[in-house]
């Protein structure tokens, strides 16, 4: 497992850690029940404060991506994928709602908006 921190990024370091863990979990690189490094070990390996890693782990635990057991460490949670997908769907809904509002105000047809959504969805990165 490799966490890469950029001092030039617009995100705080703890958010960089959090987003990279979420990405590894969602991609299957980290599996449910798999242990993750201790806060001290991760802080040492990426050269940041333990408090920064603690904030990231607290956010991951709050969001349901990891579980921490006193004396045993932190592990990838089994219930994280559904939670993440629900969170992403909520964000997509907000964007779609904004697009629908723009379409109504600008008299862009629903068919045209649907066509654009399909185009963007199927487009290769």
């Amino acid at each position: 497992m490799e966490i890469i921190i950029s001092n030039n990024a617009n995100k705080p370091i703890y958010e960089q850690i959090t987003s990279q863990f979420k990405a590894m979990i969602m991609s299957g690189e980290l599996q449910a029940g798999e242990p993750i490094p201790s806060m001290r070990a991760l802080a040492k390996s990426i050269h940041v404060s333990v408090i920064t890693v603690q904030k990231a782990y607290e956010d991951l635990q709050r969001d349901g991506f990891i579980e921490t057991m006193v004396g045993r460490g932190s592990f990838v949670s089994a219930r994280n994928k559904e939670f993440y997908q629900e969170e992403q769907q909520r964000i997509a809904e907000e964007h779609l709602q904004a697009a629908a509002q723009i379409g109504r105000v600008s008299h862009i047809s629903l068919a045209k908006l649907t066509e654009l959504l399909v185009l963007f969805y199927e487009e290769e990165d």
Side-chain angles (χ1 to χ4, degrees), residues 30-88:
L30 291 175
Q31 299 290 319
E34 191 172 334
I36 61 172
S38 71
M39 287 183 229
R40 280 193 198 127
L42 182 60
K44 185 176 181 182
S45 73
I46 60 175
H47 308 289
V48 299
S49 162
V50 173
I51 293 172
T52 300
V53 175
Q54 179 182 14
K55 172 73 172 128
Y57 278 29
E58 286 170 353
D59 286 358
L60 288 165
Q61 188 166 343
R62 181 200 67 226
D63 292 347
F65 282 88
I66 66 170
E67 298 171 352
T68 302
M69 295 175 230
V70 177
R72 294 199 55 223
S74 297
F75 302 84
V76 176
S77 174
R79 57 189 168 94
N80 54 55
K81 284 194 178 184
E82 295 81 16
F83 182 87
Y84 183 77
Q85 286 176 328
E86 182 68 30
E87 179 182 323
Q88 293 305 303

Side-chain angles (χ1 to χ4, degrees), residues 2 21 36 44 57 64 70-71 75 95 102-104 106 118 120:
E2 185 177 10
F21 266 109
I36 61 172
K44 185 176 181 182
Y57 278 29
V70 177
F75 302 84
H95 289 285
I102 292 168
R104 280 192 298 271
S106 303
V118 169
F120 292 137

Side-chain angles (χ1 to χ4, degrees), residues 5-25:
I5 300 302
S6 170
N7 291 327
N8 298 330
N10 293 335
K11 282 186 181 178
I13 293 171
Y14 77 91
E15 284 184 13
Q16 292 179 51
I17 295 168
T18 303
S19 63
Q20 288 179 56
F21 266 109
K22 286 180 178 181
M24 286 187 276
I25 291 168

